[in-house]
């Protein structure tokens, strides 16, 4: 069957040569991989052949923001898995370049390469995607039945449609998918966060043996990509000191984190370019908001839309790992992502839209804070807004927005928006005194009083100093 017979005194059978199988084609692991102990433990547990329910094939999506180290973690896991030979017999790896339109790999092309890796002759590989899927799943199923299942790693996927044709059909092969989105694959989702302080410093320490990178680690947002770029730049430029690089980062300059074509900005660009128009607009606007996080309601005000629509857009940004959810109704941008988003607002049209959105937000904050304050001051029989008919609701809103209100005050002071500078100290006096933030209140009263006097509003200055509650 396919061999060559030579008839004569002796019969010789030339058997076909064994087909080459390549199930070790992983990228080189990073020499500075550090931390992630809890992530490694959790992922190994998910892939353990005996830990899956009802012998279902383990399928895990590693999701996280650009530069968070998803690929490195997946490769590290694959190396660990290969050490446990009874788990998987080999690894199939592909980088789909899902966020780079020029290099994006379609599923059919990926399957063609994998079938060659599995030892299928090129002439036997179907031309169409469906045919390749059938051969691929048949081959993996056959290997699994012989006790030789394979771990499949699909790296940098941008959509579930990219991944589904690459999923094995047997119940023994494992799958690791990395993506900036939370893909709808019915998989276990492992969210990858930034490193803790110690592990972030360790990445720099391993890159530059004697460097104390505590400050740089924090300024790089504890993102592995940013940390490696910083360490590489310090290695490339002996005259550049960590202090000088820290100064650049203090000045909020993403250009400081570029090296040999690799940059934090480039990683963020790919995610940003895959956003819809409304998603991109909200991404830019929430980066302008005061404070470290923003509520869904504030996001709706920025966008001039309904809360339900704002929540839908925020969820989409979270799936793209560009925002993180903190609590049921609040959202936060990573510091470097916020810096990147603010860069996207440059230009006259974007800047005008941002200024208009900020005015709406400031008005919403001061009007709502005033309504909450009226509820705290109300006597029996006084009329208050239904939203704050219960005093507890007023306290809860003020507690939730406290840091935003304080940040809004100082932003208004820097941009000389006197109406907010003068009125916010009046509105927040009872609340800040009750929360024992007396230093903050006194500073706000002094700044507000100076603003009132400078603008000739002597009555407002007198109100700031003359109210019975004033310190």
């Amino acid at each position: 069957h396919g061999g060559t017979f030579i008839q004569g005194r002796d019969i010789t059978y030339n058997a076909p040569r064994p087909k080459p199988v390549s199930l070790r084609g992983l990228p080189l692991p990073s020499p500075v991989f550090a931390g992630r102990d809890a992530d490694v433990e959790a992922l190994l547990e998910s892939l353990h052949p005996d830990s899956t329910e009802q012998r279902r094939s383990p399928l895990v999506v590693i999701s996280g923001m650009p530069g968070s180290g998803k690929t490195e973690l997946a490769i590290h896991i694959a190396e660990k898995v290969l050490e446990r030979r009874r788990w998987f017999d080999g690894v199939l790896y592909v980088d789909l370049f899902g966020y780079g339109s020029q290099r994006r790999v379609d599923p059919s092309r990926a399957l063609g390469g994998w079938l060659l890796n599995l030892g299928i002759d090129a002439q036997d590989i179907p031309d169409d995607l469906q045919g390749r899927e059938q051969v691929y799943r048949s081959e993996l199923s056959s290997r699994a039945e012989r006790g030789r299942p394979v771990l499949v790693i699909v790296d940098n996927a941008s959509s579930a449609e990219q991944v589904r044709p690459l999923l094995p059909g047997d119940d023994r092969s494992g799958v690791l998918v990395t993506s900036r989105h939370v893909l709808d694959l019915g998989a276990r989702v492992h969210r990858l966060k930034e490193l803790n302080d110690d592990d972030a410093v360790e990445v720099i320490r391993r890159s530059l043996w004697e460097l104390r990178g505590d400050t740089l680690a924090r300024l790089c947002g504890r993102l592995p990509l940013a940390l490696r770029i910083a360490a590489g730049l310090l290695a490339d430029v002996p005259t550049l000191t960590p202090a000088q690089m820290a100064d650049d980062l203090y000045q909020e300059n993403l250009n400081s984190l570029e090296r040999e074509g690799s940059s934090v900005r480039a990683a963020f660009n790919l995610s940003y370019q895959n956003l819809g128009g409304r998603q991109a607009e909200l991404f830019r606007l929430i980066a302008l908001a005061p404070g470290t996080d923003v509520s869904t309601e504030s996001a709706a005000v920025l966008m001039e839309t309904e809360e339900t629509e704002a929540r839908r857009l925020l969820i989409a940004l979270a799936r793209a790992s560009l925002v993180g959810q903190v609590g049921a109704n609040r959202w936060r941008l990573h510091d470097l992502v916020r810096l990147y988003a603010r860069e996207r607002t440059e230009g006259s049209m974007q800047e005008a839209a941002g200024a208009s959105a900020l005015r709406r937000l400031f008005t919403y904050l001061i009007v709502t804070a005033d309504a909450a304050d009226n509820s705290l001051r109300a006597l029996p029989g006084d009329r208050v807004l239904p939203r704050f008919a219960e005093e507890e609701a007023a306290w809860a809103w003020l507690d939730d927005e406290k840091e935003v209100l304080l940040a809004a005050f100082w932003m208004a002071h820097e941009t000389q928006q006197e109406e907010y500078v003068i009125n916010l100290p009046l509105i927040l006096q009872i609340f800040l005194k009750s929360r024992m933030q007396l230093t903050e209140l006194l500073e706000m009263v002094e700044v507000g009083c100076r603003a009132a006097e400078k603008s000739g509003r002597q009555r407002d200055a007198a109100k700031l100093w003359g109210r019975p509650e004033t310190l």
Side-chain angles (χ1 to χ4, degrees), residues 363-378 383-391 393-395 397-398 427-428:
T363 300
Y364 153 77
L365 289 172
I366 199 166
V367 168
T368 312
D370 188 44
D373 180 60
N374 288 336
S375 177
L376 301 184
R377 297 176 182 274
R383 295 184 62 183
V384 296
L385 289 180
R387 173 173 183 171
F388 299 125
E390 299 294 332
E391 188 176 313
W395 287 113
W397 186 88
L398 288 166
I427 290 170
L428 296 178

Side-chain angles (χ1 to χ4, degrees), residues 110-147:
L111 284 174
W114 277 357
L115 290 175
L116 291 173
N117 293 149
L118 289 166
I120 306 298
D121 285 335
Q123 62 188 20
D124 295 330
I125 296 177
D127 293 328
D128 62 300
L129 174 61
Q130 186 175 9
R132 292 185 177 190
E133 285 183 67
Q134 292 174 347
V135 175
Y136 164 69
R137 292 189 176 120
S138 174
E139 182 65 21
L140 288 193
S141 178
S142 174
R143 294 182 66 88
E145 288 175 1
R146 301 196 307 271

Side-chain angles (χ1 to χ4, degrees), residues 22-233:
S22 175
L23 298 179
R24 294 292 190 276
L26 287 169
L28 291 175
S30 170
V32 295
F33 183 87
R36 303 294 188 204
D37 291 343
D39 298 295
V40 170
E41 183 178 350
L43 289 168
L44 287 176
E45 173 62 26
S46 296
L47 292 172
H48 195 292
D50 299 330
S51 68
T52 55
E53 298 178 4
Q54 300 177 352
R55 295 186 60 77
R56 293 176 57 195
S57 174
L59 170 57
V60 184
V61 174
I62 303 174
S63 174
M65 65 187 296
S68 59
K70 301 180 294 295
T71 297
E72 285 187 7
L73 178 59
I75 293 171
H76 185 77
I77 292 295
E79 296 286 348
K80 290 282 188 184
V81 164
L82 289 176
E83 296 171 4
R84 297 159 168 79
R85 293 194 59 84
R86 71 180 186 86
W87 287 23
F88 300 102
D89 186 55
V91 175
L92 288 172
Y93 172 89
V94 66
D95 186 345
L96 295 180
F97 296 101
Y99 296 93
S101 58
Q102 300 300 318
R103 302 175 67 189
R104 187 170 296 170
V105 176
D106 63 70
S108 181
R109 177 180 163 194
L111 284 174
W114 277 357
L115 290 175
L116 291 173
N117 293 149
L118 289 166
I120 306 298
D121 285 335
Q123 62 188 20
D124 295 330
I125 296 177
D127 293 328
D128 62 300
L129 174 61
Q130 186 175 9
R132 292 185 177 190
E133 285 183 67
Q134 292 174 347
V135 175
Y136 164 69
R137 292 189 176 120
S138 174
E139 182 65 21
L140 288 193
S141 178
S142 174
R143 294 182 66 88
E145 288 175 1
R146 301 196 307 271
R148 303 179 66 183
V150 171
L151 174 64
V152 172
I153 298 181
V154 183
D155 197 13
N156 280 320
S158 61
S159 68
E161 288 69 28
Q162 264 193 311
V163 178
R164 286 196 184 98
L166 308 180
L167 299 180
D170 64 276
D171 60 0
R172 291 282 306 279
S173 299
V175 185
L176 271 182
V177 180
T178 75
S179 177
R180 299 174 188 181
H181 289 74
V182 178
L183 304 180
D184 183 16
L185 293 170
R188 304 179 189 183
V189 177
H190 186 90
R191 281 278 195 176
L192 201 57
K193 300 179 180 179
E194 65 267 23
L195 297 172
N196 61 41
D197 290 332
D198 291 341
D199 290 336
V201 172
E202 183 62 20
V203 170
I204 287 186
R205 182 172 289 118
R206 291 188 183 187
S207 300
L208 284 174
W209 297 273
E210 300 300 325
L211 172 66
R212 284 188 53 81
D214 307 64
T215 302
L216 280 179
R218 180 172 55 81
L219 291 174
C220 289
R222 298 186 294 276
L223 290 177
L225 175 61
L227 292 165
R228 288 198 307 278
I229 291 173
L233 286 168

Side-chain angles (χ1 to χ4, degrees), residues 154-438:
V154 183
D155 197 13
N156 280 320
S158 61
S159 68
E161 288 69 28
Q162 264 193 311
V163 178
R164 286 196 184 98
L166 308 180
L167 299 180
D170 64 276
D171 60 0
R172 291 282 306 279
S173 299
V175 185
L176 271 182
V177 180
T178 75
S179 177
R180 299 174 188 181
H181 289 74
V182 178
L183 304 180
D184 183 16
L185 293 170
R188 304 179 189 183
V189 177
H190 186 90
R191 281 278 195 176
L192 201 57
K193 300 179 180 179
E194 65 267 23
L195 297 172
N196 61 41
D197 290 332
D198 291 341
D199 290 336
V201 172
E202 183 62 20
V203 170
I204 287 186
R205 182 172 289 118
R206 291 188 183 187
S207 300
L208 284 174
W209 297 273
E210 300 300 325
L211 172 66
R212 284 188 53 81
D214 307 64
T215 302
L216 280 179
R218 180 172 55 81
L219 291 174
C220 289
R222 298 186 294 276
L223 290 177
L225 175 61
L227 292 165
R228 288 198 307 278
I229 291 173
L233 286 168
L234 289 168
D236 291 345
V237 187
T239 57
L240 179 64
T241 68
Q244 289 171 328
M245 176 167 282
D247 286 341
D248 286 343
L249 294 174
Y250 271 127
Q251 295 170 18
E252 297 189 339
N253 184 4
L254 276 181
N255 292 325
S256 301
L257 292 177
E258 293 185 355
R259 176 179 182 247
E260 294 182 357
S262 177
S263 74
V264 173
R265 182 186 286 107
F268 294 158
N269 272 337
L270 293 176
S271 284
Y272 181 74
Q273 290 165 6
N274 280 275
L275 296 178
R278 296 280 284 172
Q279 296 169 11
E281 181 183 1
L282 181 57
F283 176 62
R284 294 191 300 268
L285 291 179
I286 60 177
L288 301 175
T292 58
D293 56 34
V294 64
S295 69
T296 306
E297 188 173 1
S298 292
V301 171
L302 287 166
M303 282 287 288
E304 282 191 298
T305 190
E306 299 295 325
E307 251 188 275
T308 52
E309 170 69 0
R311 182 176 290 106
R312 183 184 69 79
L313 294 172
L314 287 163
I315 290 172
L317 292 175
R319 288 173 65 89
S321 300
L322 289 173
V323 304
Q325 189 167 5
V326 287
N329 198 39
R330 305 198 70 82
W331 311 81
R332 176 172 295 170
L333 291 174
H334 188 283
D335 290 344
L336 293 180
V337 176
R338 180 184 297 275
L339 173 57
Y340 171 82
R342 285 178 177 172
E343 286 187 353
R344 306 278 71 74
T345 65
E346 295 175 357
S348 57
M349 290 184 61
Q350 300 290 6
E351 288 174 2
S356 178
L358 271 180
R359 284 193 294 271
R360 289 194 301 273
L361 179 63
F362 273 57
T363 300
Y364 153 77
L365 289 172
I366 199 166
V367 168
T368 312
D370 188 44
D373 180 60
N374 288 336
S375 177
L376 301 184
R377 297 176 182 274
L379 298 173
D382 287 351
R383 295 184 62 183
V384 296
L385 289 180
R387 173 173 183 171
F388 299 125
E390 299 294 332
E391 188 176 313
E392 291 77 7
W395 287 113
W397 186 88
L398 288 166
D399 278 326
D400 285 344
E401 298 291 352
K402 177 180 66 177
E403 298 304 325
V404 172
L405 289 165
L406 294 177
F409 173 82
W410 293 109
M411 182 183 287
H413 173 53
E414 291 172 2
T415 55
Q416 298 181 341
Q417 300 182 63
E418 294 174 349
E419 193 67 30
Y420 305 110
V421 173
I422 294 169
N423 285 309
L424 267 176
L426 289 168
I427 290 170
L428 296 178
Q429 282 186 20
I430 287 181
F431 172 71
L432 291 177
K433 286 181 68 176
S434 70
R435 295 300 186 249
M436 298 304 293
Q437 293 193 253
L438 305 182

